[in-house]
Amino acid sequence: MTSSTPGPSAAPALSATPDPSATPGAGAPVAPVAAAEPPQSIDDPAELLPAYLDYYRSTVLGKLDGLSEAELRGSRLPSGWTPLELLKHLAHVERRWLRWGFTAEPMDERAAWGDEDPESGRWQVPAEESVADVRELFAEECARSREIVAAASSLQQRARTGGRFQPPATPPALSWILFHVLQEYARHAGHLDIVRELADGSTGE
């Protein structure tokens, strides 16, 4: 299994013309996240990495705010992924790398890879799973990740074996995991920049 952007989807295809009638999506509890880029005064990586993760978590949610349910569940791109699928994917990125990965929390692979269809491997959000459900899942996974990072002894602490990482391979350090998750957020936030501009013309951070 991989965490790369999936192939074509059965999601409804949307017009490339911005939708002027887009309305705010369903509200749901969200994690307390940063509203602005971390200040330049921070020079400790142990503080800077979590701060930048919160910044990008906030950025992703901001790109989804104001989109209609049709926009959240439909796709404007040839690859076919939807904004709601991307949010669910990021929730599972947090789960796979921090809970299943760093802490080696016992987890069925179906739970670890719950953002992917087991047959096609592409991202999925079933019709019965609401926008509020996905946002709540995202908030919960982000909150758990914060707890794990705060409890770690240092960025040099290595992930436990027995979960995602199995012996004899050397598990990555927390610093590597956080950098990896951060680059996933940065890449996918850029994807959402494009989708949001196509949806209603909105640009910028």
Side-chain angles (χ1 to χ4, degrees), residues 1-2 6 85 88 92 96 108-126 128-129:
M1 295 182 177
T2 67
E85 289 172 348
K88 184 176 179 180
H92 283 78
R96 284 192 288 269
D108 187 288
E109 285 208 12
R110 289 174 296 180
W113 296 91
D115 52 327
E116 296 186 0
D117 181 276
E119 295 183 1
S120 68
R122 65 149 287 98
W123 298 344
Q124 62 169 353
V125 177
E128 63 271 17
E129 194 169 2

Side-chain angles (χ1 to χ4, degrees), residues 151-201:
S153 60
S154 72
L155 290 178
Q156 289 70 46
Q157 182 180 339
R158 292 198 173 270
R160 297 174 183 168
T161 56
R164 180 171 190 170
F165 308 113
Q166 298 290 331
T170 301
L174 179 59
S175 56
W176 191 98
I177 289 174
L178 293 181
F179 269 112
H180 178 83
V181 174
L182 182 61
Q183 67 82 25
E184 284 235 23
Y185 269 99
R187 183 158 46 93
H188 289 318
H191 293 154
L192 287 175
D193 280 338
I194 296 168
V195 168
R196 189 59 191 260
E197 184 173 0
L198 290 173
D200 62 10

Side-chain angles (χ1 to χ4, degrees), residues 37-192:
E37 189 172 6
Q40 296 179 5
S41 58
I42 299 177
D43 57 10
D44 182 356
E47 182 180 356
L48 192 60
L49 274 169
Y52 258 105
L53 273 172
D54 270 345
Y55 170 65
Y56 275 109
R57 288 164 179 148
S58 177
T59 297
V60 164
L61 289 174
K63 289 296 177 181
L64 302 184
D65 287 342
L67 290 179
S68 66
E69 180 146 353
E71 287 286 352
L72 290 169
R73 291 186 179 275
S75 181
R76 291 183 174 275
L77 301 172
S79 55
W81 60 267
T82 75
L84 196 60
E85 289 172 348
L86 189 149
L87 185 64
K88 184 176 179 180
H89 167 67
L90 286 171
H92 283 78
V93 166
E94 301 259 3
R95 177 183 292 183
R96 284 192 288 269
W97 284 104
L98 276 304
R99 289 174 55 192
W100 190 38
F102 187 70
T103 69
E105 178 181 326
M107 188 175 299
D108 187 288
E109 285 208 12
R110 289 174 296 180
W113 296 91
D115 52 327
E116 296 186 0
D117 181 276
E119 295 183 1
S120 68
R122 65 149 287 98
W123 298 344
Q124 62 169 353
V125 177
E128 63 271 17
E129 194 169 2
S130 71
V131 173
D133 289 338
V134 177
R135 290 183 66 108
E136 184 174 13
L137 172 67
F138 180 77
E140 290 171 351
E141 294 298 336
C142 291
R144 182 69 184 109
S145 292
R146 290 188 191 92
E147 292 173 356
I148 291 169
V149 172
S153 60
S154 72
L155 290 178
Q156 289 70 46
Q157 182 180 339
R158 292 198 173 270
R160 297 174 183 168
T161 56
R164 180 171 190 170
F165 308 113
Q166 298 290 331
T170 301
L174 179 59
S175 56
W176 191 98
I177 289 174
L178 293 181
F179 269 112
H180 178 83
V181 174
L182 182 61
Q183 67 82 25
E184 284 235 23
Y185 269 99
R187 183 158 46 93
H188 289 318
H191 293 154
L192 287 175

